[in-house]
Amino acid sequence: MDSGTKTEAGNYVIRVLTDPAEIPIEAWNALLETQSQPTPFMRLEYLSSLVSSGSACADTGWQPQFIAITSGDELIAACPAWLKSHSYGEYVFDWAWADAYQRHGLAYYPKLLVAVPFTPVPGSRLLARDAASRSLLVLALQAMAEQQQLSSIHLLFGTSDDHAAAGERQWLERHGVQFHWTQPSGTEPWSDFASFLASLQRDKRKKILQEQRKVREAGVSFEAKLGPAIATEDWDFFYRCYQLTYRAHHSTPYLSRDFFAHMADSMAGYWLLFIARHDGEPVAASLIALDPERRAAFGRYWGAVADIPCLHFEACYYQPLAWCIANGYSRFEGGAQGEHKMARGLLPVATQSSHWLAHPDFSEAVADFLAREGQAMQGYVSELEQHQPFRL
């Protein structure tokens, strides 16, 4: 039995599932691989682990509402959707919208979110066999929101295909920026970290070398562990560091230790762990997600048990970049926010989200806000592009 609801429309069956594990994993992942921008974070193992570990569930404000559309025995469209009772863990900020609703005596929560929880990595969100199936998925989302009288739907960090399908239904566009490192195209790729440094402007290169020297002179060395080589005690130490990072910001970790146990069991080959040691003892850890098929890496989580100057930059940027170059990876995504990443060779990349608001007056007001925000974002990106870190 489905844990959610089931609707039959023509030749299609639309299911809304509160347990993503009820979707055939082979069918979901096979559909994902046909999309324009698949990532490991959209694999069903990853999404199901978020739910089963208690990291993204109703108790934490992430009630699963996965949509699966089938035609006969074929899964033709699917997406991860959540009923949200707050706006934490999204990285596309709508707190002002929620406040405006509250001030007018309207309920903003729950809202419907199409996203990977706690993961601002751009990629395919609306998995579909073709454009028609993707449009059907958007219609299913909108019908669900209308039936449940939800305030809004938010599709975060999707692809141009995803947002084009939403745009057909007059969803609103919102634009952001992240910072990614990529191997140069059209010229000789960097052969090692030294050649990458040599391509930077002198002041940027000098600063990185100074930061690396401070870490080295502090007596810190690094060990990189890939996939199954990450032992349980390594995961335990990493999680301790991860907790300390949140504690330093007076916050609570989004992900449970059990989630990372699931990753070690079902997706070990997608993870790379850097452990920093001082006098043989671990003092910091940086966890990187990998997409071996597409040679992409994603900076995810880090933490330290000792305060060592510049250790964060070495663990989260320089060690991963050196590893990517040495292992033939062409892209490293540094995560949300942080224009300081530009000085370290990560360049601005546009991101997009789509939004549907049920209330016509609020939809009009948000559309006006997004138009003004979009102009400001264009100006910000143009200014960033004038401060390229590389030598001409």
Side-chain angles (χ1 to χ4, degrees), residues 7-333:
T7 302
E8 296 189 19
N11 296 324
Y12 307 108
V13 175
I14 302 172
R15 291 182 174 90
V16 180
L17 302 169
T18 58
D19 183 0
E22 294 186 22
I23 303 172
I25 189 170
E26 297 85 1
W28 176 289
N29 288 343
L31 187 60
L32 171 64
E33 287 300 315
T34 66
Q35 306 305 298
S36 62
Q37 194 176 342
T39 72
F41 309 104
M42 279 290 292
R43 292 182 65 86
L44 197 61
E45 304 97 305
Y46 187 89
L47 296 165
S48 293
S49 294
L50 288 169
V51 176
S52 61
S53 68
S55 301
C57 59
D59 289 344
T60 61
W62 294 80
Q63 183 178 338
Q65 298 278 278
F66 281 48
I67 296 182
I69 304 178
T70 54
S71 176
D73 294 330
E74 181 186 2
L75 181 68
I76 64 168
C79 70
W82 317 82
L83 280 180
K84 287 295 303 295
S85 59
H86 54 68
S87 292
Y88 292 104
E90 299 176 15
Y91 303 94
V92 175
F93 304 111
D94 62 348
W95 297 106
W97 305 358
D99 180 65
Y101 266 68
Q102 183 178 16
R103 285 188 283 106
H104 286 80
L106 299 173
Y108 189 69
Y109 304 108
K111 63 180 184 179
L112 188 61
L113 185 76
V114 180
V116 179
F118 328 120
T119 309
V121 174
S124 298
R125 296 289 183 264
L126 303 178
L127 311 186
R129 179 181 61 183
D130 50 32
S133 302
R134 189 170 291 106
S135 295
L136 182 62
L137 195 53
V138 173
L139 286 172
L141 286 164
Q142 204 162 318
M144 182 167 65
E146 291 169 346
Q147 289 167 5
Q148 299 187 34
Q149 297 184 322
L150 304 178
S151 70
S152 52
I153 314 171
H154 308 267
L155 169 62
L156 308 185
F157 299 108
T159 64
S160 58
D161 294 336
D162 298 334
H163 297 299
E168 291 174 358
R169 302 296 300 176
Q170 286 74 53
W171 291 26
L172 306 177
E173 292 185 6
R174 192 176 193 184
H175 299 275
V177 65
Q178 290 184 356
F179 298 87
H180 301 173
W181 172 91
T182 57
Q183 278 278 20
S185 59
T187 61
E188 190 71 19
W190 296 304
S191 58
D192 53 26
F193 192 69
S195 65
F196 162 66
L197 288 179
S199 70
L200 294 171
Q201 295 174 8
R202 182 178 180 277
D203 59 328
K204 306 295 191 298
R205 180 171 63 252
K206 180 179 179 182
K207 183 174 180 61
I208 291 174
L209 290 170
Q210 289 174 338
E211 291 171 343
Q212 289 190 298
R213 185 171 63 249
K214 287 181 181 179
V215 175
R216 188 169 58 250
E217 290 176 349
V220 175
S221 61
F222 280 86
E223 177 184 13
K225 291 196 171 187
L226 182 62
I230 305 173
T232 300
E233 55 266 30
D234 299 324
W235 284 110
D236 288 339
F237 176 69
F238 155 75
Y239 195 73
R240 179 187 170 198
C241 293
Y242 170 70
Q243 287 178 303
L244 289 173
T245 297
Y246 278 84
R247 189 178 303 169
H249 293 88
H250 307 287
S251 185
T252 303
Y254 288 130
L255 299 170
S256 68
R257 176 63 182 88
D258 190 43
F259 168 77
F260 293 106
H262 281 280
M263 292 295 96
D265 289 340
S266 64
M267 291 184 64
Y270 293 89
W271 297 101
L272 171 66
L273 182 66
F274 290 96
I275 300 176
R277 299 185 184 275
H278 182 265
D279 292 334
E281 294 298 318
V283 293
S286 172
L287 186 65
I288 309 299
L290 301 177
D291 186 343
E293 292 84 358
R294 281 154 285 274
R295 316 306 284 175
F298 312 87
R300 300 309 304 131
Y301 309 106
W302 111 287
V305 299
D307 186 12
I308 299 174
C310 301
L311 183 56
H312 170 262
F313 297 127
E314 183 70 31
C316 296
Y317 300 113
Y318 309 145
Q319 288 290 322
L321 286 177
W323 187 93
C324 284
I325 295 171
N327 288 274
Y329 274 58
S330 59
R331 189 170 85 253
F332 174 72
E333 299 188 10

